[in-house]
Amino acid sequence: MNILYVSTSDPRSTNHGGEQRLHFLWEALKKIGNVHTVVPVQRYSLERKDEDAKIYWVCLERLYTPMWFLQRVLNRLLPAIPVPGVHDLSRLVKFGIPHPDVCVVRMASIAAALKTWKLAPTCVDMDDIPLAEFDIQTKVCGNSLLRRMRRLVLKHVQDTVCKKGSRVWIADEEEFRRFPNVPVTFVPNIPVPPLPDFAEELGSSDTLYFVGLLAHGPNQVALDWFLSTMWRDLKKVFPELKFEICGGGLPDRLKKSWATYQDVTLRGYVNDLRPCYQHALAILTPMRIGSGSCLKVLEALRMGRVLISTQQGLRGIRPEFRNPENGILPFEDLDSLVRNIRLLRSADRLALQRAAVAFVQRRNTQEFIDRTLEKDVKNLLVRAI
């Protein structure tokens, strides 16, 4: 079986949440068939290939054509709108990529642009559901006329993908309601790679950590909200408390702003996060916007650390599981955050940490992903015959 996997980056890389999802999907697909991975690039000069890994960086756009220029103009106002005639899938032949039996495409916008369903039955991985993410951002950014126009475009893209694609994969079970008449499969995120955990070790009694890509807008919004609205008051209750932020890509304006907060340390990109997890009292994820599910949340739990998170940060975890019995302490305001920190200091923290690891290991594993994708892909082939 030949599988065309359209990725947004090299699937061997696992530097942040998006790459980790690309990686574990790739690992599962390789167990099903002969996988050829295509990473779309925007210039012919960026094209290359790794024949051993069957990974190809290919420019699929018809550069400098009238439709190509039209797309560039439209995308300044309406990002993600697909313009017909811009992409040329026949260029895959140049790289010796065989005709696929099944296509798997990461992200709805790429699927809508490439229309891989013209080649073969297509599974679209919609971890970040376009409309879900946009609607959550609207609560923060407002709902101007331009944003309403953009929502119409996103709805068209999402509806087209759902209509043309053979199956949609999502990472948040609560989002099934958005797809009432669409074949949808729950494909959870998993922490990659499965590092040794620290469930049997007590970390610091006074240091909270945040771990995440700081070039990612939702992470910036989350931390800026937490620091500006809660941190100073939290310090009044717990003067000894410290907060360390791990992640690269933070803009200079936020570096200057966040550096003014007492006992807040900006660690930047950290190559080996194990010492951070080992030292942490708990992992804090004060997310306000975003869709899909937070891999940083699952990674923290898998590492044996209690998670203190807003409900938005817990998307992808069913509400009935968001409790201390699974190492999860939800909060939405200062009072609930204070209660959680007091609970963490008074309760049996080792028991909470063991519960965190056990919760992730029940379903968020590569084995679960392997079984789920194999069933979906084989079902597509049966229906196509």
Side-chain angles (χ1 to χ4, degrees):
M1 181 197 310
N2 289 319
I3 301 173
L4 175 64
Y5 181 36
V6 182
S7 174
T8 54
S9 62
D10 189 330
R12 294 169 294 191
S13 180
T14 58
N15 290 324
H16 55 77
E19 289 186 344
Q20 289 180 23
R21 185 169 179 88
L22 287 169
H23 175 78
F24 70 68
L25 292 177
W26 181 61
E27 289 290 346
L29 292 171
K30 287 191 298 178
K31 296 167 187 172
I32 302 170
N34 184 29
V35 179
H36 289 79
T37 301
V38 170
V39 182
V41 295
Q42 293 186 328
R43 297 194 304 273
Y44 296 132
S45 60
L46 297 176
E47 291 186 328
R48 58 191 176 95
K49 59 183 177 180
D50 183 334
E51 292 189 352
D52 292 336
K54 298 176 185 174
I55 302 174
Y56 309 85
W57 288 258
V58 185
C59 181
L60 295 170
E61 299 181 23
R62 294 186 173 98
L63 299 181
Y64 312 118
T65 62
M67 300 306 286
W68 181 86
F69 281 111
L70 176 62
Q71 178 172 273
R72 288 294 180 275
V73 173
L74 287 175
N75 284 171
R76 290 179 180 273
L77 292 175
L78 302 171
I81 184 170
V83 177
V86 172
H87 294 88
D88 180 13
L89 291 177
S90 67
R91 296 205 74 247
L92 298 175
V93 178
K94 174 185 174 182
F95 286 81
I97 299 173
H99 188 86
D101 299 301
V102 172
C103 299
V104 174
V105 183
R106 175 82 166 111
M107 298 181 66
S109 58
I110 296 177
L114 297 183
K115 299 178 175 61
T116 54
W117 44 79
K118 294 183 177 181
L119 293 177
T122 296
C123 293
V124 181
D125 180 49
M126 214 181 288
D127 170 36
D128 293 317
I129 300 170
L131 280 182
E133 185 167 15
F134 188 87
D135 289 345
I136 292 168
Q137 289 177 353
T138 296
K139 297 177 182 178
V140 178
C141 304
N143 195 23
S144 65
L145 176 60
L146 181 58
R147 285 191 64 81
R148 290 197 292 271
M149 292 174 62
R150 287 177 174 171
R151 191 185 190 282
L152 289 174
V153 171
L154 284 176
K155 186 177 187 307
H156 170 72
V157 169
Q158 183 170 303
D159 289 348
T160 298
V161 168
C162 291
K163 180 179 178 181
K164 299 291 186 178
S166 300
R167 183 159 288 275
V168 171
W169 294 338
I170 63 174
D172 185 350
E173 289 179 284
E174 292 187 88
E175 296 295 347
F176 271 86
R177 57 185 170 78
R178 292 183 179 269
F179 307 94
N181 301 308
V182 179
V184 179
T185 300
F186 173 57
V187 180
N189 277 321
I190 61 174
V192 179
L195 301 172
D197 64 69
F198 300 106
E200 300 300 326
E201 298 182 33
L202 290 177
S204 165
S205 62
D206 58 14
T207 307
L208 299 173
Y209 277 79
F210 174 90
V211 176
L213 179 67
L214 297 181
H216 187 45
N219 288 340
Q220 297 173 13
V221 170
L223 289 168
D224 203 48
W225 167 75
F226 169 71
L227 291 172
S228 63
T229 64
M230 292 191 188
W231 180 246
R232 290 189 176 94
D233 290 331
L234 193 63
K235 285 286 290 180
K236 293 176 183 177
V237 182
F238 306 106
E240 72 286 1
L241 202 62
K242 301 178 181 64
F243 186 37
E244 300 208 8
I245 301 172
C246 303
L250 184 65
D252 288 339
R253 63 178 179 82
L254 291 177
K255 285 182 183 177
K256 293 178 182 178
S257 173
W258 296 356
T260 63
Y261 291 96
Q262 181 184 3
D263 290 328
V264 173
T265 302
L266 303 178
R267 297 282 300 273
Y269 175 75
V270 178
N271 186 51
D272 184 1
L273 287 167
R274 285 173 295 182
C276 299
Y277 284 116
Q278 188 173 20
H279 183 252
L281 167 67
I283 302 301
L284 180 74
T285 54
M287 305 307 294
R288 306 289 288 167
I289 58 176
S291 67
S293 69
C294 283
L295 254 167
K296 65 176 72 66
V297 163
L298 299 174
E299 183 176 87
L301 294 170
R302 178 63 184 85
M303 293 299 292
R305 284 299 172 253
V306 175
L307 179 71
I308 302 177
S309 176
T310 56
Q311 295 291 347
Q312 184 61 26
L314 297 172
R315 60 189 187 271
I317 297 175
R318 285 159 53 182
E320 61 265 33
F321 296 145
R322 302 172 184 179
N323 52 55
E325 286 73 20
N326 293 312
I328 299 170
L329 305 179
F331 83 99
E332 293 298 330
D333 52 28
L334 180 63
D335 289 343
S336 55
L337 179 56
V338 169
R339 285 197 301 271
N340 282 335
I341 294 176
R342 284 177 173 158
L343 172 65
L344 193 56
R345 288 179 162 182
S346 62
D348 182 352
R349 194 166 13 137
L350 285 179
L352 293 174
Q353 293 174 179
R354 294 180 190 121
V357 174
F359 172 69
V360 174
Q361 288 180 326
R362 283 198 291 272
R363 186 169 60 174
N364 299 90
T365 64
Q366 185 69 54
E367 291 74 20
F368 184 88
I369 303 300
D370 294 347
R371 293 193 302 270
T372 302
L373 267 60
E374 181 180 24
K375 180 180 178 181
D376 268 8
V377 170
K378 288 185 175 179
N379 283 342
L380 285 185
L381 285 178
V382 169
R383 288 203 297 270
I385 295 175

